[in-house]
Amino acid sequence: MQNVIKTPPRNLSGGAWLLADMSLNIWALTIVKALGLGYPAVQIVFLRACVGLLLMLPWAWQARHSFSNIDRWHLHGLRVLFSTLALTTSFFAISRLPFALVTAISFTRPIITMIMAVFFLKEVVAGRRWIAAIIAFIGVLIAVEPGTLPFTWGLPAMFLTVLFGTSAIILTRKLAGTPTVVMMVFYTAGLTLLTAPLAAYFWTPIVTENLLPLLAIGAFSQCAQFCFLQAHSRAEAGFLAILGYLSLLLTTAIGYFVFDEIPSVTFAIGAVLIVASALWTTLSRPRPSETRTRV
């Protein structure tokens, strides 16, 4: 019989890793937004995966013993599939939508993740976090300003990103306890294999001055993936979901200073609600009942 051990989540540590993940991802997405219209999304994902895989090889070889007892192959496979779909649709959307809007739409994913964590991961989400999630969701609706944005295929692509990304996050949580190096190798090698055929078919020759920035996407993203896994191995999904709202400040700033995307007053009001709810949850300490059970 398996023993049930209750361990308190390390939310502060996990939150720090998530902040690092957000920062690195925003650097990568800034490059994607700047160059994305010139290259197919699947080609950029493939290049990102190749660079990440090369960076992973020395670590994977050093920790090769970690691959001797791999189980739950189907969960690893599904996680890679959903992650590949989410990354491709997000790269497609980011080059066609305002930076801050992409982030605002993605904020529906943490809400869905928190709800799914309750039903599938049996996590306890405190009442104040549900209140914060509702406030943040209202803020997202205000910030997006429905009806004012002309239609672009980036919108349905972004909502698909939310769907696929949420599924990948839940599968990541289900695989808790798997060595980080195993998770990252499966993710990166899977991205490479799944995107290679389509990348070859849609390949667009790379302009010389774009080569280094495109390769940097892979370096930033791979480091971000490590931070992401560290965050989710330490903290509760509900806590990380709310903390993720802080990325709105970063993407709004990048959109304004780099891409001349001026946020409206309405967007600012929604952003204030989102950030306020995130800070409320981040600064509050977990109660004894808010623990994760490992079997």
Side-chain angles (χ1 to χ4, degrees):
M1 180 179 295
Q2 293 177 310
N3 295 325
V4 177
I5 303 176
K6 290 187 175 182
T7 59
R10 293 175 289 168
N11 282 347
L12 291 180
S13 174
W17 281 106
L18 188 68
L19 289 174
D21 165 55
M22 286 190 294
S23 299
L24 290 165
N25 264 321
I26 287 172
W27 294 348
L29 291 177
T30 299
I31 301 174
V32 173
K33 183 169 181 59
L35 303 178
L37 289 176
Y39 302 95
V42 69
Q43 179 179 344
I44 299 177
V45 174
F46 174 73
L47 290 172
R48 173 251 183 272
C50 288
V51 172
L53 190 58
L54 287 175
L55 293 175
M56 282 291 303
L57 288 179
W59 185 23
W61 175 255
Q62 184 179 17
R64 58 189 180 277
H65 60 278
S66 300
F67 296 84
S68 58
N69 296 313
I70 298 176
D71 58 359
R72 299 179 290 182
W73 288 86
H74 62 295
L75 294 182
H76 284 289
L78 285 174
R79 173 177 172 266
V80 169
L81 175 61
F82 285 128
S83 297
T84 301
L85 292 171
L87 196 59
T88 303
T89 53
S90 69
F91 280 11
F92 179 88
I94 193 68
S95 59
R96 292 164 174 81
L97 295 173
F99 214 161
L101 178 59
V102 167
T103 305
I105 294 175
S106 71
F107 285 159
T108 59
R109 181 170 67 185
I111 295 171
I112 295 172
T113 301
M114 189 168 64
I115 295 172
M116 293 179 69
V118 173
F119 293 100
F120 295 103
L121 302 180
K122 308 303 181 184
E123 290 189 359
V124 177
V125 177
R128 66 182 182 279
R129 290 185 183 164
W130 287 111
I131 295 173
I134 293 172
I135 294 173
F137 186 70
I138 293 172
V140 169
L141 293 179
I142 295 174
V144 170
E145 299 180 82
T148 63
L149 184 73
F151 177 79
T152 167
W153 285 109
L155 282 173
M158 196 58 216
F159 284 111
L160 285 176
T161 299
V162 171
L163 176 63
F164 297 140
T166 300
S167 301
I169 288 175
I170 291 299
L171 287 168
T172 298
R173 300 288 294 180
K174 294 287 286 184
L175 289 166
T178 302
T180 300
V181 64
V182 174
M183 297 282 282
M184 291 185 68
V185 167
F186 264 96
Y187 175 82
T188 309
L191 279 179
T192 305
L193 292 174
L194 290 178
T195 57
L198 288 175
Y201 183 81
F202 292 107
W203 189 268
T204 297
I206 299 174
V207 179
T208 303
E209 56 265 30
N210 291 343
L211 180 59
L212 185 58
L214 287 173
L215 295 179
I217 294 172
F220 291 147
S221 299
Q222 194 65 24
C223 293
Q225 174 69 5
F226 176 81
C227 295
F228 173 84
L229 290 173
Q230 290 296 316
H232 279 269
S233 68
R234 287 167 165 77
E236 297 168 295
F239 174 83
L240 296 177
I242 301 298
L243 182 59
Y245 290 124
L246 293 176
S247 64
L248 182 59
L249 286 176
L250 299 175
T251 54
T252 301
I254 294 295
Y256 178 78
F257 289 108
V258 178
F259 301 106
D260 296 323
E261 296 173 353
I262 302 175
S264 65
V265 174
T266 304
F267 181 89
I269 294 173
V272 168
L273 290 175
I274 293 168
V275 173
S277 64
L279 289 176
W280 178 28
T281 301
T282 303
L283 296 177
S284 60
R285 294 184 177 181
R287 297 171 184 172
S289 60
E290 298 172 35
T291 56
R292 182 170 63 243
T293 301
R294 289 183 180 174
V295 179

